Amino acid sequence: MRDEVILLIEQCLNGLQFGLLLFLLAAGLTLVFGIMDLVNLAHGSFYMLGAYFAATFAALTGSFVLGGVLALAATLVVGMAAELIAIRKLYGRDHLDHVLGTFGLILFFNELVRLVWGPAGMNLPLPPYLGGAIEILPGVYYPAYRIAVIAAALMIALLLYLVVMRTRVGMLIRAGASNREMVGALGINVQLLYTFVFGAGAALAGLAGLIQAPILTAHIGMGENILIVALVVIIIGGVGSIRGAFMAAIFVGIVDTVGRAFLPDLFRLVMTPAAASTLAPALSSMLIYVVMAIVLVVRPQGLFPVDGK
Amino acid sequence: MNKTLVAAGALLAGLSLPAVAQQRSIKIGFVSTFSGPPAVIGADMRNSFELALDHLGRTMGGLPIEVIYEDDQQKPEVGKQKTEKLILSDHVDFIVGYIWSNVLLASLKPAIDSKTILISANAGPSQIAGELCSPYFFSTSWQNDQTPAAVGLFMNQKGVKNTYLIGPNYAAGKDMMVGVKATFKGKIVGEEYTRWPDQLDFSAELSKVRAAKPDAAFAFYPGAAGVQFLNQYVQAGLKGQVPLYTAFTIDETTLPRQGENAIGIPGAQQWVNDLPNDANRKFVADYKAKYKASPSFYGAQTYDAALLVNSAVVAVKGDVARKADMIKTMEKADFASVRGSYRYGNNHFPIQNFYLQDVVKGPDGTVVLKTVATVVKDDQDVFHDKCAMK
């Protein structure tokens, strides 16, 4: 196969993998925002906790998979506890209070992690069968772990779709996203629903974090930068919409990765290498925000808005 | 009533007392990163500085030492603000520290304008070695381009014909690439600058490295980013395919988390933990005893910075107002540096040796850095001609 084609395939896979990861984060964020009308900046903290839990449990149990499962359960518990103790007090107040309250939680969790695990961060080593690169097509090598991430994330997305579209809980979630007051008026235990949704959102973020841990290492503050991108995703996708989050996450993932990969070369065709190497990284890091701005102008409600809003 | 007045008077008198009675001390401001992932580097620098003060008996020229540590959060604007605070409200005699070139560039002017002697214990941007050079600035590290230039020389020795460069998009990242290009005789087949410091996933760039099929790759990723970069390089299966050469990517602050991934990956450095001189043996042994960890080059440079300050203070017998005399003493670099002796160039950057370091398994099974060879002797940066100081 020609080198350019191989590179393009690889870059699309890179974009897909990043996009799916963003989806896991954005799904929880958009559910919490859509259903509970809560702006949760601390979402990134659960992403960080997922990574730390996974690194810790994997080291304790000696198993990568078991460590991941335990980490997922632990983030779910922490998420539900956070809802019961802190988040619950914020419902019914305005968005600025949410921002302040959950920003405080970010500081709390960052400091907590520093106290428990220290400032250095943690590595989550991969098991040998995931550690190297495999030949996925003739001549196309790709990290085995990233392939596993793509497969696992697609499965989670499918599972999430089935839960949301085919189960009673999913029906309540969709109803909550469309009209919160009506769900409560129909005698649904909204408090319980909120605790569940918040915990599930936290677990999804934790899953994204534990998936990233072998690639990025677990470190303090890892959730903050990626949360900004996840917010971009839910704005593009439409607040409260899982389908929108999925489409927008894949789109943002590919735009960001492919832009980063090919813009510098494109620029070098028309300007000096020095100018291109200054301008291209700057522009490629702005690319997704440009896309968001265009979406906000053309379709302020997002590309896949929830019906009835 | 009178009693209250007397008490108030006594209180007020008490307020003004300490200023008169207080013994003079040497005040040193210390700016580094103490939060976020780079806090590991900041801690190594602080530990080494404190160890140096221990070795000095916590006095300089007979005066007690007071150190004020400030966190720059790896942000240029915060670094500048902290530097200004140290000068204007703490009235420090010296400022030491600075990991990041962009932070140092932002913080330099307030120090120079106030004629406060600033010693960079790490960052060495090309601008300060050249047109921005100042009598009040000293480096106990290197100019950014020197280390990668030494790596470039080593790549020539290994017969590398073409290479792919990758590093972060900020002041030091650019200096590093210029440094390699200055000495590397082969072809540069590609050059990538990644967003800094928030981009930690290098999948797109590593795919391009693989597609370019170079003889070798050169990377500069300081601090925690070095762990992430190396992890991903190995996961992509590139370690076996494209030999990696590095500058400031593998050190004692990152090695515990890089582990086996780092074995056999060479780099250049002006200091390695096993350099055979007495000052270094004492530094490394005492550091290990006190902190139960190994010092990195960041720490070694900071240790030297403390000794450099001490040499100046001792020369003027504690009269730190005699700045010109202190600068003259510092220019001699007359102290037992842990890297072995070195000289200062006209721009106050060291003229020194650079060593090839390799990562090997130590006798106890842990992964350690080891000196392999001297790549270049008495190396001076290429920007000193642009410095107006003679």
Side-chain angles (χ1 to χ4, degrees):
Chain A
M1 222 186 294
R2 292 190 49 198
D3 285 356
E4 291 83 4
V5 182
I6 292 177
L7 184 58
L8 190 65
I9 294 174
E10 265 195 53
Q11 297 299 19
C12 288
L13 283 174
N14 288 335
L16 183 66
Q17 187 254 318
F18 180 47
L20 285 167
L21 188 93
L22 281 177
F23 166 68
L24 293 179
L25 260 179
L29 199 60
T30 202
L31 277 180
V32 168
F33 194 23
I35 297 169
M36 297 149 72
D37 196 29
L38 176 86
V39 182
N40 179 22
L41 293 188
H43 200 63
S45 295
F46 299 115
Y47 170 82
M48 171 178 71
L49 283 176
Y52 272 96
F53 281 139
T56 309
F57 289 133
L60 282 178
T61 61
S63 158
F64 181 75
V65 176
L66 193 60
V69 172
L70 286 173
L72 203 57
T75 353
L76 180 74
V77 171
V78 174
M80 288 168 69
E83 200 273 345
L84 288 171
I85 295 166
I87 301 290
R88 189 161 277 193
K89 312 266 189 288
L90 294 171
Y91 302 143
R93 308 180 69 153
D94 67 288
H95 284 163
L96 194 61
D97 290 359
H98 298 171
V99 168
L100 279 175
T102 53
F103 185 74
L105 277 180
I106 293 183
L107 301 179
F108 170 78
F109 280 118
N110 281 350
E111 217 42 53
L112 185 72
V113 167
R114 194 191 315 277
L115 286 175
V116 176
W117 284 283
M122 281 179 93
N123 213 7
L124 175 53
L126 284 173
Y129 56 91
L130 288 174
I134 51 170
E135 194 170 8
I136 43 168
L137 288 168
V140 186
Y141 287 86
Y142 200 70
Y145 181 66
R146 289 188 194 252
I147 291 287
V149 167
I150 291 174
L154 281 174
M155 260 161 53
I156 301 281
L158 185 68
L159 194 70
L160 204 59
Y161 172 82
L162 290 176
V163 168
V164 171
M165 300 309 280
R166 295 275 183 273
T167 64
R168 190 178 157 74
V169 175
M171 192 179 72
L172 292 177
I173 288 175
R174 276 179 293 140
S178 295
N179 195 327
R180 210 170 24 255
E181 289 80 12
M182 188 55 85
V183 176
L186 290 174
I188 306 298
N189 185 342
V190 176
Q191 292 242 311
L192 193 67
L193 181 70
Y194 281 12
T195 308
F196 170 76
V197 169
F198 194 86
L204 279 173
L207 180 66
L210 77 90
I211 281 177
Q212 282 291 59
I215 299 176
L216 300 186
T217 73
H219 56 272
I220 293 163
M222 66 190 284
E224 278 112 72
N225 288 320
I226 197 147
L227 186 76
I228 298 171
V229 188
L231 287 170
V232 170
V233 165
I234 68 169
I235 289 168
I236 292 177
V239 169
S241 161
I242 295 265
R243 190 164 67 105
F246 184 77
M247 299 298 201
I250 303 284
F251 180 64
V252 165
I254 290 184
V255 164
D256 185 65
T257 306
V258 173
R260 232 167 65 207
F262 295 111
L263 263 187
D265 299 331
L266 211 63
F267 278 31
R268 262 172 224 152
L269 297 176
V270 291
M271 56 180 81
T272 62
S277 67
T278 310
L279 196 59
L283 201 72
S284 65
S285 59
M286 281 186 340
L287 214 52
I288 57 168
Y289 303 103
V290 174
V291 171
M292 179 182 78
I294 294 171
V295 169
L296 278 176
V297 170
V298 180
R299 264 178 89 92
Q301 71 276 42
L303 295 179
F304 302 92
V306 176
D307 299 333
K309 271 226 160 162
Chain B
M1 182 68 206
N2 276 350
K3 256 190 189 164
T4 322
L5 276 179
V6 170
L11 213 70
L12 284 172
L15 273 180
S16 57
L17 258 180
V20 182
Q22 197 179 40
Q23 194 192 4
R24 217 157 51 78
S25 66
I26 303 296
K27 263 192 172 182
I28 303 171
F30 195 107
V31 179
S32 187
T33 311
F34 298 115
S35 58
V40 184
I41 302 174
D44 181 49
M45 291 171 76
R46 171 159 55 187
N47 287 347
S48 302
F49 201 72
E50 288 290 326
L51 184 66
L53 298 187
D54 287 351
H55 286 174
L56 293 170
R58 305 203 80 86
T59 58
M60 287 181 183
L63 294 172
I65 307 159
E66 187 187 339
V67 190
I68 303 162
Y69 292 98
E70 293 289 352
D71 178 14
D72 63 26
Q73 301 169 21
Q74 203 181 354
K75 293 178 185 144
E77 67 277 11
V78 178
K80 176 169 187 269
Q81 197 189 347
K82 293 293 169 73
T83 306
E84 282 169 344
K85 178 237 167 204
L86 286 169
I87 296 167
L88 297 175
S89 78
D90 296 323
H91 306 288
V92 294
D93 303 309
F94 298 90
I95 300 184
V96 179
Y98 303 100
I99 304 173
W100 313 103
S101 291
N102 49 350
V103 178
L104 175 60
L105 281 167
S107 311
L108 183 68
K109 200 174 176 314
I112 305 288
D113 287 352
S114 63
K115 302 192 170 165
T116 309
I117 297 176
L118 184 151
I119 298 147
S120 171
N122 191 62
S126 50
Q127 294 87 338
I128 301 180
E131 64 269 29
L132 290 182
C133 75
S134 158
Y136 296 97
F137 174 88
F138 280 85
S139 159
T140 52
S141 51
W142 18 258
Q143 194 279 314
N144 286 341
D145 299 48
Q146 286 181 285
T147 312
V151 179
L153 288 175
F154 178 62
M155 287 162 79
N156 293 338
Q157 286 172 22
K158 295 291 270 187
V160 176
K161 294 280 173 285
N162 60 68
T163 189
Y164 204 106
L165 311 179
I166 174 165
N169 188 26
Y170 81 110
K174 288 173 187 164
D175 280 352
M176 294 293 156
M177 301 309 164
V178 174
V180 183
K181 287 188 213 161
T183 54
F184 179 61
K185 292 204 181 72
K187 196 168 165 251
I188 308 287
V189 289
E191 204 175 334
E192 288 295 326
Y193 293 95
T194 59
R195 206 164 64 224
W196 181 257
D198 59 315
Q199 185 188 333
L200 301 173
D201 189 325
F202 309 106
S203 59
E205 292 76 16
L206 290 176
S207 289
K208 289 176 82 174
V209 173
R210 189 205 309 278
K213 301 191 177 75
D215 277 3
F218 168 84
F220 161 64
Y221 279 102
V227 183
Q228 288 131 4
F229 180 82
L230 207 55
N231 265 357
Q232 293 169 40
Y233 201 84
V234 173
Q235 283 166 15
L238 280 168
K239 194 182 171 190
Q241 270 176 21
V242 182
L244 182 65
Y245 295 79
T246 63
F248 307 115
T249 303
I250 301 168
D251 61 63
E252 282 80 358
T253 67
T254 61
L255 210 48
R257 283 167 296 143
Q258 288 165 328
E260 309 252 329
N261 284 352
I263 288 181
I265 295 179
Q269 206 68 263
Q270 89 294 359
W271 174 90
V272 192
N273 61 77
D274 61 352
L275 285 182
N277 66 66
D278 290 341
N280 192 42
R281 273 189 281 263
K282 182 172 160 63
F283 165 62
V284 173
D286 289 357
Y287 188 104
K288 282 182 179 165
K290 186 169 177 191
Y291 304 110
K292 314 284 172 252
S294 296
S296 74
F297 69 90
Y298 298 103
Q301 293 155 187
T302 315
Y303 183 87
D304 278 0
L307 298 190
L308 181 66
V309 169
N310 180 57
S311 74
V313 176
V314 169
V316 296
K317 299 191 177 63
D319 184 5
V320 289
R322 290 165 56 195
K323 298 217 166 155
D325 294 331
M326 291 204 294
I327 290 169
K328 229 176 231 141
T329 308
M330 290 168 79
E331 282 170 346
K332 292 181 204 146
D334 185 17
F335 66 95
S337 165
V338 293
R339 80 197 77 178
S341 66
Y342 69 89
R343 298 179 281 136
Y344 272 115
N346 61 320
N347 56 0
H348 293 176
F349 274 86
I351 301 174
Q352 59 190 344
N353 296 349
F354 282 86
Y355 304 97
L356 180 70
Q357 66 174 32
D358 196 7
V359 184
V360 294
K361 259 219 166 115
D364 56 347
T366 56
V367 183
V368 291
L369 285 159
K370 177 174 172 289
T371 315
V372 182
T374 308
V375 185
V376 52
K377 275 196 148 99
D378 295 333
D379 187 51
Q380 183 170 23
D381 65 89
V382 294
F383 300 96
H384 69 277
D385 290 338
K386 290 192 195 153
C387 169
M389 292 193 299
K390 286 292 162 249

